[in-house]
């Protein structure tokens, strides 16, 4: 680990000002950042610990939604009875990720901003445009089984690893930030992440020193909420494919559906194509397969990860079947 | 800065007994923990470990794991992968289990930290330790302190009604089935694969003791 200066935040304003300095980073739970610092993939010279800031509350909103402080741990969020009753897809997604020990440290803001687990991002002996801009992408012709198939570029095919963010994307969550000058803004979660294009090292729209202070969940939409994760072992593994879905239906038809995929792209992949295909569709396997085909129509495999495309279609079918009680 | 060792640890004993390989292997960690040249500054931090307060002067890079092992001589907590994958370093901080390898000691000023050494009371094994012995919940034993700390915290989480990925309806407080125990212990790897006996040990304690 490279040397750094450690600072405890005393206020939002001072924390943002400190973190806006070159090579400075916020630290909250630290479960991803410290791992990357040990490997010298991240080499901040200043760490601003936001542990002292009062951002660990989950508050009711007057509209029936919730505001989740950035420092709320993954465990606390998944165990909150309001989340379990009103947003079960979020509890399920969080509980599908990492281990109990990690969820006790990992925070809401940190989970959103965690880095990819692409093996070449972690291997400092290999090219990686995300880690070393301009060096190339070893994953394109390499072991890319875990990599993305949608929305990425020939400069980077890294997938976003979060489960929590997939559920939040299906829930239309909004990310509230504060910038070094004190300015606040609200970013729809789907607009938080930047496509890799030719600058995969720039992953979000956040400015230097801009801090995620909270995540707002709108009131829960009607319908059955389901998170389904497909992975290489039964627990404690990243998703090959996951689906967060919220499905309202009557006896014959899907009234409304929200669908977000994990493991397929640089961000949780909300599929307007699948949702459009499902809206008003009959409760039948053919409808779910058509939605899957629509969702994956622009997908591109890179060899080892070709399987993700049919797997994503089938996972959506399974989720829709469960959500609607059809076969 | 020499690590403070409160008592003769197994590592020191083996080191002085001529285990050259082991002693050499421990050096990088000791050097990292000791504050090598180039550190920007050191930090005062008070850690409350197993009920005792310790004032330490630490390079901010020192993980909680290295602080416990190298500075306080509490070598019960093990370093396995050092990247949060194996769970050998699990300790209980303010009642919650965490990976001590993935957190900085300076981030835990004033926190109440319990290691495996702190579970025993009056020289009696903690009920979870005794259950692991009875059920043969270990082979080599390297992962065991982490397994036991994790299991003790697991029971508290379950008592608090926390769901898990194995819980069919997350809005309910689930019974602690074997599937629930296995899911909740998935952050602790046992390469000897003593899992079946670990689960039975935890179940026995959850059900109120020896069966």
């Amino acid at each position: 680990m490279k040397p750094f200066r450690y600072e405890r935040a005393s206020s939002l304003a001072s924390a943002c000002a400190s973190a806006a300095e070159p090579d400075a980073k916020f630290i909250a739970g630290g479960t991803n950042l410290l791992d990357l610092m040990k490997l010298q993939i991240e080499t901040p010279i200043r760490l601003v610990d936001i542990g002292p800031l009062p951002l660990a509350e989950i508050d009711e909103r007057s509209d029936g939604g919730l505001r989740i402080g950035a420092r709320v741990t993954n465990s606390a969020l998944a165990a909150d009875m309001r989340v379990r009753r009103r947003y079960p897809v979020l509890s399920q997604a969080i509980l599908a990720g990492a281990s109990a020990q990690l969820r006790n440290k990992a925070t809401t803001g940190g989970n959103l901003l965690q880095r990819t687990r692409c093996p070449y991002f972690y291997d400092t002996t290999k090219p990686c445009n995300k880690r070393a801009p301009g060096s190339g992408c070893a994953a394109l012709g390499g072991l890319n089984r875990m990599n993305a198939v949608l929305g990425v570029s020939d400069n980077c095919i890294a997938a976003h690893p979060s489960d929590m963010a997939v559920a939040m994307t299906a829930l239309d969550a909004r990310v509230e930030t504060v910038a070094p000058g004190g300015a606040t803004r609200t970013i729809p979660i789907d607009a938080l992440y930047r496509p890799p294009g030719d600058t995969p090292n720039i992953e979000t729209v956040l400015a230097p020193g801009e801090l995620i202070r909270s995540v707002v969940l709108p009131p829960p939409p009607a319908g059955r909420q389901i998170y389904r994760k497909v992975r290489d072992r039964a627990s404690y593994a990243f998703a090959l494919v996951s689906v967060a879905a919220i499905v309202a239906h009557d006896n014959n038809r899907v009234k409304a559906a929200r669908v977000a995929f994990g493991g397929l792209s640089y961000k949780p992949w909300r599929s307007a194509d699948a949702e459009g295909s499902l809206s008003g569709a009959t409760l039948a396997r053919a409808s779910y397969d058509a939605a899957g085909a629509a969702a994956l129509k622009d997908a591109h495999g890179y060899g080892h990860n070709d399987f993700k495309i049919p797997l994503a279609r089938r996972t959506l079918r399974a989720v829709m079947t469960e959500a609607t009680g059809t076969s | 800065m020499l690590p403070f060792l409160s008592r003769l640890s197994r590592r020191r004993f083996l080191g002085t007994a001529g285990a050259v390989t082991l002693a050499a292997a421990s050096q990088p960690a000791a050097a990292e923990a000791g504050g090598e040249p180039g550190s920007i500054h050191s930090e005062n931090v008070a850690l409350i470990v197993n009920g005792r307060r310790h004032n330490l002067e630490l390079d901010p890079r020192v993980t909680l794991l290295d602080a416990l092992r190298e500075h306080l001589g509490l070598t019960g907590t093990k370093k396995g992968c050092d990247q949060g994958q194996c769970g050998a370093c699990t300790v209980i901080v303010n009642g919650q289990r965490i990976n001590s390898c993935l957190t900085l000691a300076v981030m835990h000023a004033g926190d109440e930290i319990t290691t495996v050494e702190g579970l025993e009371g009056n020289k009696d094994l903690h009920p979870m330790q005794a259950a692991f012995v009875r059920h043969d919940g270990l082979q080599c034993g390297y992962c065991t302190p982490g397994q036991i700390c994790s299991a003790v915290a697991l029971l508290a989480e379950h008592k608090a009604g926390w769901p898990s990925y194995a819980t069919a309806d997350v809005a309910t407080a689930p019974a602690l089935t074997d599937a629930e125990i296995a899911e909740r212990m998935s952050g602790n790897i046992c390469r000897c694969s003593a899992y079946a006996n670990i689960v039975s040990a935890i179940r026995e304690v959850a059900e109120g003791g020896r069966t």
Side-chain angles (χ1 to χ4, degrees), chain B residues 109-169:
Chain B
D111 285 352
E112 301 264 359
I113 298 154
T114 303
T115 68
V116 71
E117 291 95 338
L119 292 177
E120 291 180 33
N122 295 327
K123 297 184 179 173
D124 292 330
L125 292 180
H126 184 280
M128 191 65 77
Q129 291 175 305
F132 267 63
V133 172
R134 271 197 302 279
H135 288 264
D136 209 10
L138 63 148
Q139 288 185 45
C140 83
Y142 194 81
C143 71
T144 310
Q147 298 275 2
I148 288 174
C149 285
S150 195
V152 168
L154 177 161
L155 295 188
E157 292 166 6
H158 179 257
K159 197 173 177 187
W162 286 17
S164 85
Y165 183 71
T167 308
D169 178 355

Side-chain angles (χ1 to χ4, degrees), chain B residues 53-66:
Chain B
R53 185 181 176 91
H54 301 272
N55 289 303
L56 298 172
E57 183 89 7
L58 295 175
D59 184 312
R61 289 174 290 178
V62 174
T63 62
L64 179 59
L65 173 61
D66 285 337

